[in-house]
Structure formats: structure tokens, C-alpha cells
Amino acid sequence: MATLVQLQHPSSGVGKTGFYGFSWTSFFFGGFPALIRGDVGIGLGMLAVGFIAGFLGIGFGWFFVNLIWAFVYNKIYTNRLLEAGYKLADTPERNQAARAALGAGEQALFTR
């Protein structure tokens, strides 16, 4: 189940929601959640891989690709936000859980 964590960019003050854990939306809709979140390249790539796997695997390939994608996409998305300069800005408990799940260090925390 996906867990939410709030992030904030220190210089601009823009806030975003990050996710980690299993993504049901990515499982059911493949690359479309990535497209909606603005990850156009990743979303289109995922859709292409899903369609090819679905075609070659007579539909079952789409299921297996989406299953794997559902386990990894939220972590990819949130780590990309951290790489873009966003910092974890939620409660200390949520920040700690997110750091553990994402493999992020102390530098990922927003200091007020």
C-alpha cells in the first residue's frame, strides 16, 4: 500500500507529495500515473514496455510488467523529487519511515 510523505523545495517553497510502497494505480494503469505526475519519459517508456510485453505474452506480459512496476514506481518518483532538491518536510515519524523506505540519508530532511 502506498504511503504519502510531504516534500518541500527549500529555495522556492513549493510543496509536493511523495509516495513510497506499492502503487495500485500503477498496477492497474501502467505508465499513466507517471504521465499525470509529469514523468513523461518514464510514463511513455513504461507504456511502451507494457504494450510490447502484453503483445508478446498474449496479455499476461502486461500483467507481470505492471506488477513489477507497481512495486518500484513510487520509490522512483519520490527519489527523483529528492534529486531535484526537494526535502522531506512531514512529521518526524513520517520522515523517518520515508527515509528508511527510500534509502535516503539525513540530507533529505527539510530543516526549518
Side-chain angles (χ1 to χ4, degrees), residues 3-4 15 51 73 80 99:
T3 305
L4 307 174
F51 285 129
Y73 177 62
R80 286 174 53 109
R99 281 186 53 230

Side-chain angles (χ1 to χ4, degrees), residues 18-64:
F19 309 90
Y20 59 93
F22 188 83
S23 172
W24 285 102
T25 55
S26 293
F27 176 68
F28 287 113
F29 302 111
F32 288 109
L35 293 173
I36 292 168
R37 292 181 190 173
D39 281 343
V40 177
I42 289 177
L44 291 175
M46 175 53 205
L47 287 172
V49 169
F51 285 129
I52 291 168
F55 178 74
L56 296 175
I58 312 168
F60 292 109
W62 177 263
F63 171 79
F64 289 115

Side-chain angles (χ1 to χ4, degrees), residues 35-99:
L35 293 173
I36 292 168
R37 292 181 190 173
D39 281 343
V40 177
I42 289 177
L44 291 175
M46 175 53 205
L47 287 172
V49 169
F51 285 129
I52 291 168
F55 178 74
L56 296 175
I58 312 168
F60 292 109
W62 177 263
F63 171 79
F64 289 115
V65 167
N66 279 2
L67 181 63
I68 294 167
W69 185 243
F71 279 104
V72 299
Y73 177 62
N74 280 336
K75 184 175 179 178
I76 291 170
Y77 173 73
T78 306
N79 276 325
R80 286 174 53 109
L81 288 176
L82 291 172
E83 290 169 5
Y86 284 85
K87 303 288 184 182
L88 299 170
D90 214 312
T91 64
E93 296 81 20
R94 285 187 179 189
N95 288 343
Q96 188 63 25
R99 281 186 53 230

